[in-house]
Every structure is written in C-alpha cells, then in structure tokens.
Amino acid sequence: MADVRLFEKDPYAPIQYGYEVTEVLYRGTSEYQEFAVVVNPFFGRMLILDGVVQFTERDEFYYHEMLAHVPLHAMAAPETVVVIGGGDGGVIREVVKHPSVKKAYLVDIDPEVTRVSQAYFPTVASGLDDPRVEHCPMDGARFLAEFEGKADVILVDSTDIVGFAKSLFTPEFFGRARSILGPGGAFVTLSESLHFHFPIVREVQQTLRASFPCADLYTAPIATYAGNWWCFAVGTNGASLRVPARAPVTPTRYYCGDIHRSAFLPPFLYDRLMEDGRESF
Ligand code: AG3
C-alpha cells in the first residue's frame, strides 16, 4: 500500500509531526475552517482542523479531563459552566459528569465541529445531548459580552492562538470573563507547550495577571500536541485551584486527586517562567 502521510501544519512548533494515514473518512470546509477526519493505526481516528491535530481517539481524554476536572474539582459544587469552543463535546462530556452542574453553555462559533464529531467521534460527542447542555453556536467574545448571568467556571477549548481564535486571548475577553465569574469562580484556557512555546505561555500569564486578581498554570502530557507538555492557564477572582475540594467524579481515566495536585508548576518554576526574556527553565 502507498505510504500516505499527514504532515501537521502546527503554527508555532519547531518540529513537524508526520502521521501514517490508513483511511480518510471525511474532508470538508465550513465557513471557518477546513476539516479532515483520518485514521492512524496507533492513534485511531483523528480530527484535523486547518491542518492541525485537534484530538485523537487514543489520547483525547488527557486533554479533555484535565481542562474540565481541575477547575471543577477545585470547587465544592459548581453549577454553571460556560465552554467556549469545544464543539466536539470532549470537554462537555467531562463537565456533565459533575452532578452539581445545572447548566452548561457550549459556545462554539462553528456548528460544523459538532456535526462532524457526532458523525465520526461518538465517544467524544457523547455528552452533547445531556439536557443540561445549551448549544449556542456563536462567537465566544460576543457570547460573554451579552451574557447576563454569573458562571462558576469558564473553559476555553479553542484552536491554537491564531486566526479567529485570537479574539479569545485579548485583555478585553479576559476582563469580560472575570466580571462574569462569581467570587469562587475560575477561567481556564489552553496555553500551548512549555517545551516549545515558553514566551507564549508567559505572555498569556501576563495578560491574565493584568485582568484577574490571580493567575496560575497547570500542565498535562498530550502526545499529539507538539511539545507535549501542554499548558492550561487559569484566572480567578482570588480562589486557588491547586487543591481538589472533593473526591473525583467517576469514571475518569487520568484525572485523580494526585494528578490534580501535581499538575501545577511549583512556585520556583512559575517565577522563572515569568522572568523577562527567558526561553526555557
Ligand atoms: N483544542 C485544542 C487544540 C490545540 C491543538 N494544537 C496543536 N496541536 N498544536 C482542541 C479541541 C478539542 N476539544
């Protein structure tokens, strides 16, 4: 058989991943991005948007569990959650495992992500029909600008910080998110890799620090995101997310209390990250 490869077009990575592709299940274009669903013998089905791997069947749970469960478990009983991006449903699947959650808004600008996920990734999309989930296919910045309630948790599960996703990393957006959070609430957004994108990780922290009383950072190992040592950036009105407030929901495959506590950078590394001009620890 011909050797068919997918070479990833990661916007910032100093290396390029090449994946063997045994089948192309879907290709299409929406108003916002180019889609491909392909099969790799090791990772299974993979969702590719604009040439960048968004998740694979084999390793998606590391990312989705860690984005959702760290902030949610840091609170005794979170009720209202906003997920911006994440139309595939992976984060929502984890959010709805929390019995205290009464309402989860899913705000992806591109409804095609949800359609493709439901068609090709049923195990990722499995929480999308939960009655507590309200689908709001619109721009996340506009959603927050118009949102009148309060949220306990705001999670950003976007594409990389380029193109239309950039509007989700501005001081205005962070400031708006802060004003919607209750006193114990938390905002968490992806922030690339400590191995490959050290200055970007710092820049997101600086922007958060300018908008929130408290900023923090935790990480998780994601095999298919270049640099692997993937970051989640946190903004709160004062609350720390470092310690879980209760026992883990079930089932999870990676998240647990020990992982929660060890995912955060120790203070001496956090301080080094924030030193001007540094490119690595
Ligand atoms: N959201 C994060 C994608 C980041 C991919 N970046 C990369 N491979 N360089 C993915 C959506 C999953 N719900």
Side-chain angles (χ1 to χ4, degrees):
M1 205 188 88
D3 181 18
V4 180
R5 289 205 164 240
L6 169 92
F7 286 98
E8 190 182 29
K9 295 196 200 94
D10 186 303
Y12 305 115
I15 61 159
Q16 191 179 31
Y17 281 154
Y19 294 90
E20 184 186 343
V21 171
T22 48
E23 220 181 324
V24 177
L25 297 174
Y26 176 74
R27 290 197 74 151
T29 307
S30 73
E31 193 183 332
Y32 297 98
Q33 49 210 342
E34 263 179 36
F35 285 68
V37 178
V38 305
V39 180
N40 169 270
F42 186 80
F43 287 108
R45 292 185 178 190
M46 309 173 59
L47 176 68
I48 322 289
L49 296 181
D50 288 339
V52 178
V53 175
Q54 299 301 305
F55 62 81
T56 78
E57 277 179 332
R58 188 181 180 112
D59 79 333
E60 54 84 11
F61 64 93
Y62 293 93
Y63 174 84
H64 290 133
E65 287 187 6
M66 289 300 279
L67 178 52
H69 291 315
V70 171
L72 284 157
H73 282 93
M75 295 167 203
E79 294 185 0
T80 306
V81 180
V82 177
V83 177
I84 293 175
D88 51 77
V91 176
I92 283 287
R93 179 192 65 202
E94 302 305 321
V95 167
V96 299
K97 287 179 185 170
H98 291 257
S100 64
V101 169
K102 293 192 173 130
K103 183 90 190 174
Y105 298 92
L106 179 59
V107 190
D108 197 306
I109 198 169
D110 190 350
E112 195 57 10
V113 177
T114 300
R115 192 195 68 74
V116 169
S117 186
Q118 283 172 325
Y120 295 97
F121 298 95
T123 59
V124 173
S126 59
L128 289 170
D129 294 330
D130 188 287
R132 294 169 289 169
V133 177
E134 183 172 332
H135 294 255
C136 309
M138 64 191 283
D139 172 57
R142 213 186 99 211
F143 177 88
L144 289 195
E146 293 171 4
F147 188 69
E148 285 174 353
K150 285 276 176 201
D152 297 307
V153 181
I154 301 173
L155 304 174
V156 176
D157 177 19
S158 66
T159 45
D160 284 314
I161 314 173
V162 286
F164 61 84
K166 270 195 165 163
S167 66
L168 306 178
F169 292 86
T170 62
E172 297 70 40
F173 181 76
F174 288 173
R176 183 65 195 142
R178 193 205 63 75
S179 66
I180 287 166
L181 290 181
F187 171 84
V188 183
T189 186
L190 63 81
S191 115
E192 309 293 328
S193 153
L194 274 170
H195 280 310
F196 284 175
H197 317 108
F198 204 87
I200 299 177
V201 178
R202 175 168 54 236
E203 202 183 310
V204 174
Q205 286 298 308
Q206 281 163 345
T207 314
L208 281 170
R209 280 175 155 196
S211 310
F212 288 88
C214 286
D216 209 343
L217 183 69
Y218 64 94
T219 70
I222 320 285
T224 46
Y225 294 172
N228 308 122
W229 194 8
W230 200 254
C231 294
F232 300 92
V234 174
T236 74
N237 280 322
S240 165
L241 303 190
R242 288 191 169 230
V243 181
R246 55 197 161 90
V249 295
T250 51
T252 56
R253 294 170 71 183
Y254 178 67
Y255 176 84
C256 64
D258 285 339
I259 289 290
H260 184 136
R261 281 180 287 267
S262 62
F264 286 83
L265 282 193
F268 83 99
L269 285 183
Y270 187 88
D271 291 347
R272 276 190 205 166
L273 167 70
M274 298 311 289
E275 281 172 24
D276 274 346
R278 249 189 195 274
E279 298 271 324
S280 76
F281 291 134

